[in-house]
Amino acid sequence: METESIKARHTGRPGPGGPADRHPTATPRSVRPSRADLAAATDRTIPDVLAPGLAVLFVGINPGLWSAATGWHFARPGNRFWPALHRGGFTPRQLHPSEQDRLPALGLGITNMAARASARADDLSTEELLAGAAILTGKVARYRPRWVAVVGVTAYRIGFQRPKATFGPQPELLAGARLWVLPNPSGLNAHFTPVTLGLAFAELRAATELPAL
């Protein structure tokens, strides 16, 4: 299955060629972004990992500075997305963020609710999340994943105006796709341990009927 990199657009930011449209080439796995690299990554965007007909499209809140500096989703050390993906049975081993382009062959993809990178997810405005939800709906309509898994209940509540939403399956569809809300895998989310986060991902995998890897 061929992947297609989609550069996310963010309204209210510079157009093509502006700071918000530039994204760097991924650095080698052994290279850590410097403080200057991280500071320069603010407001950048990174390409989606996306292909038609995926089983699950994971939706982060927005890229962190580490992700914007490397071009890899969920790249910050301490983020538990990749371990949870493996613990949940979606991948046969724990992938490094630099291996993100292996996901579509497993029926998986990644995008974000908001395109621009920031130091913290709570730097985003309500307007950005609402606009991001509309953009996400368009992507889902175009690429037709079977399931959309939003990784962060607060972003889902705000972006889709569902203030009482909880974790797990949602009653509504998104452009024909089933919806699921997962916990935020950030290391700052102390409500979930690596084990309980993996169990939440495993519950989603079981619902999608994908075989455990």
Side-chain angles (χ1 to χ4, degrees):
M1 179 186 296
E2 293 188 1
T3 63
E4 180 174 351
S5 291
I6 311 295
K7 187 176 292 182
R9 291 188 291 272
H10 172 64
T11 57
R13 294 284 166 181
D21 281 311
R22 291 198 298 268
H23 60 86
T25 301
T27 56
R29 289 176 58 162
S30 60
V31 174
R32 295 169 64 91
S34 67
R35 289 186 179 181
D37 292 332
L38 295 176
T42 301
D43 291 344
R44 281 181 179 163
T45 65
I46 63 175
D48 294 335
V49 178
L50 191 56
L54 296 172
V56 185
L57 177 61
F58 292 95
V59 183
I61 301 171
N62 74 316
L65 298 185
W66 202 288
S67 288
T70 61
W72 307 328
H73 293 270
F74 301 104
R76 184 179 179 84
N79 190 291
R80 299 168 295 175
F81 174 81
W82 297 99
L85 202 64
H86 175 50
R87 284 177 180 267
F90 284 105
T91 59
R93 61 176 175 83
Q94 183 176 322
L95 298 180
H96 186 269
S98 64
E99 298 178 285
Q100 62 185 17
D101 288 338
R102 294 176 179 266
L103 291 181
L106 300 173
L108 311 175
I110 305 176
T111 186
N112 286 287
M113 283 278 288
R116 75 174 180 95
S118 65
R120 295 177 58 91
D122 56 13
D123 291 336
L124 300 173
S125 67
T126 296
E127 290 72 21
E128 287 178 273
L129 292 173
L130 290 169
I135 293 170
L136 174 63
T137 302
K139 289 179 186 178
V140 174
R142 180 179 179 186
Y143 288 94
R144 297 293 181 184
R146 287 176 22 226
W147 288 81
V148 174
V150 179
V151 185
V153 69
T154 301
Y156 178 76
R157 287 170 177 166
I158 295 172
F160 287 95
Q161 302 181 74
R162 298 287 190 272
K164 297 182 180 180
T166 58
F167 297 115
Q170 305 303 305
E172 64 272 7
L173 300 178
L174 180 65
R178 297 287 306 276
L179 267 169
W180 194 282
V181 174
L182 288 165
N184 185 343
S186 168
L188 299 175
N189 183 0
H191 296 291
F192 286 84
T193 68
V195 171
T196 57
L197 194 62
L199 291 173
F201 275 65
E203 186 180 0
L204 167 62
R205 185 197 48 76
T208 65
E209 300 183 351
L210 287 172
L213 297 180

